[in-house]
Amino acid sequence: MNWHGKTVGYAITGSHCTFAEVMPQIQRFVDGGANVVPIVSGSVLATNTRFGSSENWLKQLKDITGNDIISTIVEAEPLGPSKLLDVLTIAPCTGNSLSKLANAMTDSPVLMAAKSQMRNGRPVVLAISTNDGLGLNAANLAKLLVAKNIYFVPFGQDNPLAKPNSLVARMDLIPEACYAALQGSQLQPMIVERFDSA
C-alpha cells in the first residue's frame, strides 16, 4: 500500500498485551510512506506491566514514527481545526475507550483525537481488544458498528472457551482496514476467526 502524502493518526490505549502486535503495523505505515502521528492514553503513558514498561513502549513509538507523542487532551484538540489526519486508528482500542466513544465521552487524548476526526467527517478505525466485547460492551460495539465514519479492523473471539465474551482484532490487518476506510469501505469479512494458540 502506498501511504505517501497521507498522515495517519495512530492512537494506542491500554490493552498492554497487544502492544507487541501493533508496533510492527506502525512500522508498516512508515515504510509505506505515511507520516504517523502517535497518540497515547494515560494508561499507556504511565503504566508498567508484565508486557513492558511505559518508557520502553513510548520510546519505540517515537523511534518508529519520528514524531513527538500526543499525550494530553490539550495537545490533541488542534487535530480538529488543523484537519491534519487523513485517517485515525485506535489500535488497540480497549473496552473502556470503546464505551466512552460510543457514549460521546471525551476524557483522554485518544478520545479527543477521535472526536476531532469525526467532527471533520474523516475515518476512525477501531482495532478492538476487550474482555467484554460480547458482554456489557456489546451494546457499545453495536452503536459504533452503525456510526458514520467508524470502521473496524476485522475481529473475533480470541479465547472462546476460557473468555467467551472477549473480542480482539486481527492487528496484522490494521493498515488494510485503514486503507479501505480511506475509500469509504469496511474491510471484509469484519468478523473473523481469531484463536490464540495458547
Coordinates of all heavy atoms in Angstrom, one line a residue, residues 6-79:
K6 N 0.0 10.8 2.9 CA -1.0 10.6 3.9 C -0.5 10.8 5.3 O 0.6 10.4 5.6 CB -1.7 9.2 3.8 CG -2.3 9.0 2.4 CD -3.5 9.9 2.2 CE -4.2 9.5 0.9 NZ -5.3 10.5 0.6
T7 N -1.3 11.3 6.2 CA -1.0 11.4 7.6 C -1.9 10.5 8.4 O -3.2 10.7 8.3 CB -1.1 12.9 8.1 OG1 -0.2 13.7 7.4 CG2 -0.8 13.0 9.6
V8 N -1.3 9.6 9.1 CA -2.1 8.6 9.9 C -2.0 8.9 11.3 O -0.9 9.0 11.9 CB -1.6 7.2 9.6 CG1 -2.3 6.2 10.5 CG2 -1.7 6.8 8.1
G9 N -3.1 9.1 12.0 CA -3.1 9.2 13.5 C -3.1 7.8 14.0 O -4.0 7.0 13.7
Y10 N -2.1 7.5 14.9 CA -2.1 6.2 15.4 C -2.2 6.3 17.0 O -1.3 6.7 17.6 CB -0.8 5.4 15.1 CG -1.0 3.9 15.3 CD1 -1.1 3.1 14.2 CD2 -1.0 3.3 16.5 CE1 -1.3 1.7 14.3 CE2 -1.3 2.0 16.7 CZ -1.4 1.2 15.6 OH -1.6 -0.1 15.7
A11 N -3.4 5.9 17.4 CA -3.7 6.1 18.9 C -3.7 4.7 19.6 O -4.2 3.7 19.0 CB -5.1 6.7 19.1
I12 N -3.1 4.7 20.7 CA -2.9 3.5 21.5 C -3.5 3.6 22.8 O -3.3 4.6 23.6 CB -1.4 3.1 21.6 CG1 -0.8 2.9 20.3 CG2 -1.2 1.8 22.5 CD1 0.7 2.6 20.3
T13 N -4.4 2.7 23.2 CA -5.0 2.6 24.5 C -4.5 1.4 25.3 O -3.8 0.6 24.7 CB -6.5 2.7 24.5 OG1 -7.0 1.5 23.9 CG2 -7.0 3.9 23.8
G14 N -4.9 1.2 26.5 CA -4.2 0.3 27.4 C -4.4 -1.2 27.4 O -4.5 -1.8 28.4
S15 N -4.6 -1.7 26.2 CA -4.6 -3.2 26.1 C -3.1 -3.6 25.9 O -2.6 -3.9 24.8 CB -5.4 -3.7 24.9 OG -5.3 -5.1 24.8
H16 N -2.4 -3.6 27.0 CA -0.9 -3.8 27.0 C -0.5 -5.1 26.4 O 0.6 -5.2 25.8 CB -0.4 -3.7 28.4 CG -0.7 -2.3 29.1 ND1 0.1 -1.2 29.0 CD2 -1.8 -1.9 29.8 CE1 -0.4 -0.2 29.6 NE2 -1.6 -0.6 30.1
C17 N -1.3 -6.1 26.5 CA -0.9 -7.4 25.9 C -0.8 -7.4 24.4 O -0.3 -8.4 23.8 CB -1.9 -8.5 26.4 SG -3.6 -8.2 25.9
T18 N -1.4 -6.4 23.8 CA -1.3 -6.4 22.3 C -0.3 -5.4 21.7 O -0.1 -5.3 20.5 CB -2.7 -6.0 21.7 OG1 -3.1 -4.7 22.2 CG2 -3.8 -7.0 22.1
F19 N 0.5 -4.7 22.6 CA 1.4 -3.7 22.1 C 2.5 -4.3 21.2 O 2.8 -3.7 20.2 CB 2.1 -3.0 23.3 CG 1.2 -2.1 24.1 CD1 -0.1 -1.9 23.7 CD2 1.7 -1.4 25.2 CE1 -0.9 -1.0 24.5 CE2 0.9 -0.5 25.9 CZ -0.4 -0.3 25.5
A20 N 2.9 -5.5 21.5 CA 3.9 -6.1 20.7 C 3.4 -6.5 19.3 O 4.1 -6.5 18.3 CB 4.5 -7.4 21.3
E21 N 2.1 -6.7 19.2 CA 1.5 -6.9 17.9 C 1.3 -5.7 17.0 O 1.3 -5.7 15.8 CB 0.1 -7.5 18.1 CG 0.0 -9.0 18.5 CD -1.4 -9.5 18.5 OE1 -2.0 -9.7 17.4 OE2 -1.9 -9.7 19.6
V22 N 1.1 -4.5 17.7 CA 0.7 -3.3 16.9 C 2.0 -2.6 16.5 O 1.9 -1.9 15.5 CB -0.2 -2.4 17.7 CG1 -1.5 -3.1 18.0 CG2 0.4 -1.8 18.9
M23 N 3.1 -2.7 17.2 CA 4.3 -1.9 16.8 C 4.7 -2.2 15.4 O 5.0 -1.3 14.6 CB 5.4 -2.1 17.8 CG 5.2 -1.5 19.1 SD 5.0 0.3 19.1 CE 4.4 0.6 20.8
P24 N 4.7 -3.5 14.9 CA 5.1 -3.7 13.5 C 4.1 -3.1 12.5 O 4.5 -2.8 11.4 CB 5.1 -5.3 13.4 CG 5.3 -5.7 14.8 CD 4.6 -4.7 15.7
Q25 N 2.9 -2.9 12.9 CA 1.9 -2.3 12.0 C 2.2 -0.8 11.8 O 2.0 -0.3 10.7 CB 0.5 -2.6 12.5 CG 0.1 -4.0 12.8 CD 0.6 -5.0 11.7 OE1 0.5 -4.8 10.5 NE2 1.3 -6.1 12.2
I26 N 2.6 -0.2 12.9 CA 3.0 1.2 12.8 C 4.2 1.3 11.9 O 4.2 2.2 11.0 CB 3.3 1.8 14.2 CG1 2.2 1.6 15.1 CG2 3.8 3.2 14.1 CD1 2.5 1.9 16.6
Q27 N 5.1 0.4 12.0 CA 6.3 0.4 11.1 C 5.8 0.2 9.6 O 6.4 0.8 8.7 CB 7.2 -0.7 11.5 CG 8.6 -0.7 10.7 CD 9.4 0.5 11.0 OE1 9.8 0.7 12.2 NE2 9.7 1.3 10.0
R28 N 4.8 -0.6 9.4 CA 4.3 -0.8 8.0 C 3.8 0.5 7.4 O 4.0 0.8 6.2 CB 3.2 -1.8 8.0 CG 3.7 -3.2 8.2 CD 2.5 -4.2 8.2 NE 1.8 -4.3 6.9 CZ 0.6 -4.8 6.7 NH1 0.0 -5.3 7.8 NH2 0.1 -4.7 5.6
F29 N 3.1 1.3 8.2 CA 2.6 2.7 7.8 C 3.8 3.5 7.4 O 3.8 4.2 6.3 CB 1.8 3.4 8.8 CG 0.4 2.9 9.0 CD1 0.0 2.3 10.2 CD2 -0.5 3.1 8.0 CE1 -1.3 1.9 10.3 CE2 -1.8 2.6 8.1 CZ -2.2 2.0 9.3
V30 N 4.8 3.6 8.2 CA 6.0 4.4 8.0 C 6.7 3.9 6.8 O 7.1 4.7 5.9 CB 6.9 4.4 9.2 CG1 8.3 5.1 8.9 CG2 6.3 5.0 10.4
D31 N 6.9 2.6 6.6 CA 7.6 2.0 5.5 C 6.8 2.3 4.2 O 7.4 2.4 3.1 CB 7.8 0.5 5.6 CG 8.8 0.1 6.7 OD1 9.5 1.0 7.2 OD2 8.8 -1.0 7.2
G32 N 5.5 2.4 4.3 CA 4.7 2.8 3.1 C 4.7 4.2 2.8 O 4.1 4.6 1.8
G33 N 5.3 5.1 3.6 CA 5.5 6.5 3.2 C 4.6 7.4 4.0 O 4.6 8.6 3.8
A34 N 3.8 6.9 5.0 CA 2.9 7.7 5.8 C 3.7 8.5 6.8 O 4.7 8.1 7.4 CB 1.9 6.9 6.5
N35 N 3.1 9.7 7.1 CA 3.5 10.5 8.3 C 2.6 10.0 9.4 O 1.4 10.1 9.3 CB 3.4 12.0 8.1 CG 3.6 12.8 9.3 OD1 4.5 12.5 10.1 ND2 2.8 13.8 9.5
V36 N 3.2 9.4 10.5 CA 2.4 8.8 11.5 C 2.5 9.7 12.8 O 3.6 9.9 13.3 CB 2.8 7.4 11.9 CG1 2.0 6.8 13.0 CG2 2.7 6.5 10.6
V37 N 1.3 10.1 13.2 CA 1.2 11.0 14.4 C 0.8 10.1 15.6 O -0.3 9.6 15.6 CB 0.2 12.1 14.2 CG1 0.1 12.9 15.5 CG2 0.6 13.0 13.1
P38 N 1.7 9.8 16.6 CA 1.3 8.9 17.7 C 0.6 9.6 18.8 O 0.9 10.8 19.1 CB 2.7 8.5 18.2 CG 3.6 9.6 17.9 CD 3.1 10.3 16.6
I39 N -0.4 8.9 19.3 CA -1.3 9.5 20.4 C -1.5 8.4 21.4 O -1.7 7.2 21.0 CB -2.7 9.9 19.8 CG1 -2.5 10.8 18.6 CG2 -3.6 10.5 20.9 CD1 -3.7 10.8 17.6
V40 N -1.3 8.7 22.7 CA -1.5 7.6 23.7 C -2.4 8.1 24.8 O -2.6 9.3 25.1 CB -0.1 7.3 24.3 CG1 0.8 6.7 23.3 CG2 0.5 8.4 25.1
S41 N -3.1 7.1 25.4 CA -3.9 7.3 26.6 C -3.1 7.4 27.8 O -1.9 7.1 27.8 CB -4.9 6.2 26.7 OG -4.3 5.0 27.1
G42 N -3.7 7.9 28.9 CA -3.0 8.0 30.2 C -2.4 6.7 30.6 O -1.3 6.6 31.3
S43 N -3.1 5.6 30.4 CA -2.7 4.2 30.8 C -1.4 3.9 30.1 O -0.5 3.3 30.7 CB -3.8 3.2 30.5 OG -3.3 1.9 30.8
V44 N -1.3 4.2 28.8 CA -0.1 3.9 28.1 C 1.1 4.7 28.6 O 2.2 4.3 28.7 CB -0.3 4.1 26.6 CG1 1.0 3.8 25.8 CG2 -1.5 3.2 26.0
L45 N 0.8 6.0 28.9 CA 1.8 6.9 29.3 C 2.4 6.6 30.6 O 3.6 6.8 30.8 CB 1.1 8.3 29.4 CG 2.1 9.5 29.6 CD1 3.0 9.7 28.5 CD2 1.2 10.8 29.9
A46 N 1.6 6.0 31.5 CA 2.1 5.9 32.9 C 2.1 4.5 33.5 O 2.6 4.3 34.7 CB 1.2 6.7 33.8
T47 N 1.7 3.4 32.8 CA 1.6 2.1 33.4 C 2.6 1.1 32.9 O 2.8 0.9 31.7 CB 0.2 1.5 33.1 OG1 -0.8 2.4 33.5 CG2 0.0 0.2 33.8
N48 N 3.3 0.5 33.9 CA 4.3 -0.5 33.6 C 3.6 -1.9 33.9 O 2.9 -2.0 34.9 CB 5.5 -0.4 34.5 CG 6.3 0.9 34.3 OD1 6.4 1.3 33.1 ND2 6.8 1.5 35.3
T49 N 3.7 -2.8 33.0 CA 3.1 -4.1 33.2 C 4.1 -5.2 32.9 O 5.2 -5.0 32.5 CB 1.9 -4.3 32.2 OG1 2.4 -4.5 30.9 CG2 1.0 -3.1 32.3
R50 N 3.6 -6.5 33.0 CA 4.5 -7.6 32.7 C 4.8 -7.7 31.2 O 5.7 -8.4 30.8 CB 3.9 -8.9 33.1 CG 2.6 -9.3 32.5 CD 1.9 -10.5 33.1 NE 0.6 -10.8 32.6 CZ 0.3 -11.7 31.7 NH1 1.3 -12.4 31.1 NH2 -0.9 -11.9 31.3
F51 N 4.1 -6.9 30.4 CA 4.3 -6.8 29.0 C 5.4 -5.8 28.6 O 5.7 -5.7 27.4 CB 3.0 -6.6 28.2 CG 2.0 -7.6 28.5 CD1 0.9 -7.4 29.3 CD2 2.1 -8.9 27.9 CE1 0.0 -8.4 29.6 CE2 1.2 -9.9 28.1 CZ 0.1 -9.6 29.0
G52 N 5.8 -5.0 29.6 CA 6.8 -4.0 29.3 C 6.6 -2.7 30.0 O 5.5 -2.4 30.5
S53 N 7.6 -1.9 30.1 CA 7.5 -0.6 30.7 C 6.9 0.5 29.8 O 7.1 0.4 28.6 CB 8.8 -0.1 31.3 OG 9.7 0.2 30.2
S54 N 6.2 1.5 30.4 CA 5.7 2.6 29.6 C 6.8 3.3 28.9 O 6.7 3.7 27.7 CB 4.9 3.5 30.4 OG 5.7 4.1 31.5
E55 N 8.0 3.4 29.5 CA 9.1 4.1 28.9 C 9.6 3.4 27.7 O 9.9 4.1 26.7 CB 10.2 4.2 30.0 CG 11.5 4.9 29.5 CD 12.6 5.0 30.5 OE1 12.5 4.3 31.5 OE2 13.6 5.6 30.2
N56 N 9.6 2.1 27.7 CA 10.1 1.3 26.6 C 9.1 1.5 25.4 O 9.5 1.7 24.3 CB 10.2 -0.1 27.0 CG 10.6 -1.0 25.7 OD1 11.6 -0.8 25.1 ND2 9.7 -2.0 25.4
W57 N 7.8 1.3 25.7 CA 6.8 1.4 24.6 C 6.8 2.8 24.0 O 6.7 3.0 22.8 CB 5.4 1.1 25.1 CG 5.3 -0.4 25.5 CD1 5.0 -0.9 26.7 CD2 5.5 -1.5 24.6 NE1 4.9 -2.3 26.7 CE2 5.2 -2.7 25.4 CE3 5.8 -1.7 23.3 CZ2 5.4 -4.0 24.9 CZ3 5.9 -2.9 22.8 CH2 5.7 -4.1 23.5
L58 N 6.9 3.9 24.8 CA 6.9 5.2 24.3 C 8.1 5.5 23.5 O 8.1 6.2 22.4 CB 6.8 6.2 25.5 CG 5.5 6.2 26.3 CD1 5.7 7.1 27.5 CD2 4.3 6.6 25.4
K59 N 9.3 4.9 23.9 CA 10.5 5.1 23.1 C 10.3 4.4 21.7 O 10.7 5.0 20.7 CB 11.7 4.5 23.8 CG 13.0 4.7 23.1 CD 14.2 4.1 23.9 CE 15.5 4.4 23.2 NZ 15.6 4.0 21.8
Q60 N 9.8 3.2 21.7 CA 9.6 2.5 20.4 C 8.7 3.3 19.5 O 8.9 3.5 18.3 CB 9.0 1.1 20.7 CG 9.9 0.1 21.2 CD 9.3 -1.3 21.1 OE1 8.8 -1.7 20.1 NE2 9.3 -2.0 22.2
L61 N 7.6 3.9 20.1 CA 6.6 4.6 19.3 C 7.3 5.9 18.7 O 7.1 6.2 17.5 CB 5.5 5.0 20.3 CG 4.2 5.5 19.6 CD1 3.6 4.6 18.6 CD2 3.2 5.8 20.7
K62 N 8.1 6.6 19.5 CA 8.7 7.8 19.0 C 9.8 7.4 18.0 O 10.0 8.1 16.9 CB 9.3 8.6 20.1 CG 9.9 9.9 19.6 CD 10.1 10.9 20.8 CE 10.6 12.2 20.2 NZ 10.8 13.2 21.2
D63 N 10.6 6.3 18.2 CA 11.6 5.9 17.3 C 11.0 5.5 15.9 O 11.6 5.8 14.9 CB 12.4 4.7 17.9 CG 13.3 5.1 19.0 OD1 13.6 6.4 19.2 OD2 13.9 4.3 19.7
I64 N 9.9 4.8 16.0 CA 9.3 4.3 14.7 C 8.7 5.5 13.9 O 9.0 5.6 12.7 CB 8.2 3.3 15.0 CG1 8.8 2.0 15.5 CG2 7.4 2.9 13.7 CD1 7.8 1.0 16.1
T65 N 8.0 6.3 14.6 CA 7.3 7.4 13.9 C 8.2 8.6 13.6 O 7.9 9.4 12.6 CB 6.1 7.9 14.6 OG1 6.5 8.5 15.9 CG2 5.1 6.7 14.9
G66 N 9.1 8.9 14.4 CA 10.0 10.1 14.3 C 9.2 11.3 14.7 O 9.7 12.5 14.5
N67 N 8.1 11.2 15.4 CA 7.3 12.3 15.8 C 7.1 12.3 17.3 O 7.1 11.3 17.9 CB 5.9 12.3 15.1 CG 6.0 12.7 13.6 OD1 6.7 13.5 13.2 ND2 5.2 12.0 12.8
D68 N 6.8 13.5 17.8 CA 6.5 13.6 19.3 C 5.2 13.0 19.5 O 4.3 13.0 18.7 CB 6.5 15.1 19.7 CG 7.9 15.7 19.7 OD1 8.9 15.0 19.9 OD2 7.9 17.0 19.5
I69 N 5.0 12.5 20.7 CA 3.8 11.7 21.1 C 2.8 12.7 21.7 O 3.1 13.5 22.6 CB 4.1 10.6 22.1 CG1 5.0 9.6 21.4 CG2 2.8 10.0 22.6 CD1 5.6 8.6 22.4
I70 N 1.6 12.7 21.2 CA 0.5 13.5 21.8 C 0.0 12.7 23.0 O -0.5 11.5 22.8 CB -0.6 13.7 20.7 CG1 -0.1 14.6 19.6 CG2 -1.9 14.3 21.4 CD1 -1.1 14.8 18.5
S71 N 0.0 13.3 24.1 CA -0.3 12.6 25.4 C -1.2 13.4 26.3 O -1.5 12.9 27.4 CB 1.0 12.2 26.1 OG 1.7 13.3 26.5
T72 N -1.8 14.5 25.8 CA -2.7 15.3 26.6 C -3.9 15.7 25.7 O -3.8 15.8 24.5 CB -2.1 16.5 27.2 OG1 -1.8 17.5 26.2 CG2 -0.8 16.2 28.0
I73 N -5.0 16.0 26.4 CA -6.2 16.5 25.7 C -5.9 17.8 25.0 O -6.3 18.0 23.8 CB -7.4 16.6 26.6 CG1 -7.9 15.2 27.1 CG2 -8.5 17.4 25.9 CD1 -9.0 15.2 28.1
V74 N -5.1 18.6 25.6 CA -4.7 19.9 25.1 C -3.9 19.8 23.8 O -4.1 20.5 22.8 CB -3.9 20.8 26.1 CG1 -3.4 22.0 25.5 CG2 -4.8 21.1 27.3
E75 N -3.0 18.8 23.8 CA -2.2 18.5 22.6 C -3.1 17.9 21.5 O -2.8 18.2 20.3 CB -1.1 17.6 22.9 CG 0.0 18.2 23.8 CD 1.0 17.2 24.4 OE1 0.7 15.9 24.2 OE2 2.0 17.6 24.9
A76 N -4.1 17.2 21.8 CA -4.9 16.5 20.8 C -6.0 17.4 20.2 O -6.4 17.2 19.0 CB -5.6 15.3 21.4
E77 N -6.4 18.4 20.9 CA -7.5 19.3 20.5 C -7.2 19.9 19.1 O -8.2 20.0 18.2 CB -7.8 20.3 21.5 CG -9.1 21.1 21.3 CD -9.0 22.2 20.3 OE1 -7.9 22.8 20.2 OE2 -10.0 22.5 19.6
P78 N -6.0 20.4 18.8 CA -5.8 21.1 17.5 C -5.9 20.2 16.3 O -6.0 20.6 15.1 CB -4.4 21.6 17.6 CG -4.1 21.8 19.1 CD -4.9 20.6 19.7
L79 N -6.0 18.8 16.5 CA -6.1 17.9 15.4 C -7.4 18.2 14.6 O -7.5 18.0 13.4 CB -6.1 16.5 15.9 CG -4.8 16.0 16.4 CD1 -5.0 14.6 17.0 CD2 -3.7 16.0 15.4

